Amino acid sequence: MKITRIGALYQLAFMPRFFPVNCYLVEEEKELTLIDAALPFSVKGILQAAEQIGKPITRIVLTHAHGDHIGALDGLKKVLPDVTVYISRRDAKLLAGNKELEAGEPNSPIKGDVPKSVQTKPDVLLEDGDRVGSLQAVAAPGHTPGMMALLDVRSRALIAGDAFQVRGGVAVSGLMKFWFPFPAMATWNKEVALESARKLRQLEPSVLAVGHGRMIEQPLTIIDRALEEAAKKFHLEAANI
Ligand SMILES: [Zn+2]
């Protein structure tokens, strides 16, 4: 596991070379918020990182319910039974193993590794705009129907889940990158993902922190390029159908 810090944001990267999976610790005055829960074997590394920082993890916020973002959830909940678990109302259904679409959603199948046997029940169902400590929840559907990004209102660091990928080339969720195609393969609806990516750009983040790949400081130019590329490619693909 590799730890990288930018201000109050710590990136914990598991398997950084082979198949990088990130989760994040956000430092508050007396406590830590864990964003996403990486892989089942990540429990130990996450607890060690919190110990190094010297504050307790009191909240776990899940950006979405894919297996590589909730892997250590049950393991952590066993060790930290008092932790409060947050996920969007929509992705709570995925967390419970339900892949059915809701009325009014674009008719594309929910993809990726949706867990089948997670024991942990979320304590709080997030809606767009909710606050969790210094974090503001920002609905960013597309990769999954209920994906939430989190904006640290102190620094404007944006923890964007899989709304973007950085590994294999910075891209909007749904745009296939040859060297790391997995986030695109797991994306529910790219048009919705592009809309959300545009909305996240409007927040003018100071740091872009995603599920797969390194953190990027001052990311606006890079995000703009990714938005342009996605708009062009998604448009061409749509024209070919
Ligand atoms: Zn995902």
Side-chain angles (χ1 to χ4, degrees):
M1 180 187 68
K2 189 180 163 209
I3 303 181
T4 313
R5 176 184 183 180
I6 300 178
L9 180 63
Y10 298 76
Q11 181 188 65
L12 280 48
F14 296 89
M15 304 192 295
R17 278 160 201 276
F18 165 61
F19 186 105
V21 172
N22 300 327
C23 62
Y24 293 89
L25 285 169
V26 175
E27 190 173 2
E28 302 278 2
E29 205 181 325
K30 292 194 178 114
E31 58 203 330
L32 298 168
T33 300
L34 176 70
I35 302 180
D36 285 341
L39 300 159
F41 70 81
S42 307
V43 175
K44 208 172 146 198
I46 292 169
L47 293 172
Q48 274 172 358
E51 207 178 289
Q52 273 178 35
I53 300 167
K55 294 181 184 177
I57 298 173
T58 57
R59 312 178 183 106
I60 300 177
V61 184
L62 303 166
T63 61
H64 65 295
H66 278 150
D68 53 342
H69 293 253
I70 54 104
L73 179 63
D74 281 348
L76 287 168
K77 187 72 183 173
K78 252 181 225 145
V79 189
L80 308 167
D82 295 333
V83 88
T84 309
V85 176
Y86 302 73
I87 191 167
S88 72
R89 181 204 58 77
R90 181 65 187 91
D91 264 32
K93 287 193 177 175
L94 271 64
L95 189 65
N98 180 355
K99 286 172 80 167
E100 281 167 36
L101 292 171
E102 287 188 347
E105 285 177 343
N107 189 20
S108 32
I110 292 171
K111 292 185 189 161
D113 176 23
V114 173
K116 287 171 199 78
S117 54
V118 172
Q119 306 287 311
T120 306
K121 303 270 175 286
D123 302 292
V124 179
L125 300 181
L126 288 173
E127 300 286 352
D128 187 39
D130 284 356
R131 277 289 288 271
V132 183
S134 298
L135 301 168
Q136 185 186 332
V138 184
H143 182 68
T144 61
M147 212 189 67
M148 280 282 175
L150 286 314
L151 180 76
D152 190 323
V153 297
R154 299 168 298 182
S155 62
R156 303 202 74 73
L158 179 70
I159 300 94
D162 287 348
F164 293 92
Q165 71 176 73
V166 168
R167 177 68 162 214
V170 178
V172 172
S173 188
L175 187 100
M176 199 68 83
K177 286 283 178 184
F178 180 80
W179 292 110
F180 200 72
F182 311 105
M185 286 159 62
T187 293
W188 164 61
N189 188 294
K190 349 184 197 194
E191 285 74 27
V192 178
L194 178 56
E195 224 171 277
S196 292
R198 286 188 175 124
K199 176 177 154 193
L200 295 178
R201 163 65 176 84
Q202 296 304 319
L203 299 172
E204 304 204 339
S206 63
V207 176
L208 178 65
V210 301
H212 308 282
R214 68 190 166 84
M215 292 191 281
I216 300 177
E217 292 184 82
Q218 305 307 329
L220 298 187
T221 317
I222 290 172
I223 291 175
D224 284 341
R225 230 178 286 148
L227 290 173
E228 255 173 60
E229 188 188 6
K232 216 181 286 172
K233 291 214 174 136
F234 293 173
H235 187 71
L236 282 175
E237 283 171 20
N240 281 339
I241 291 169

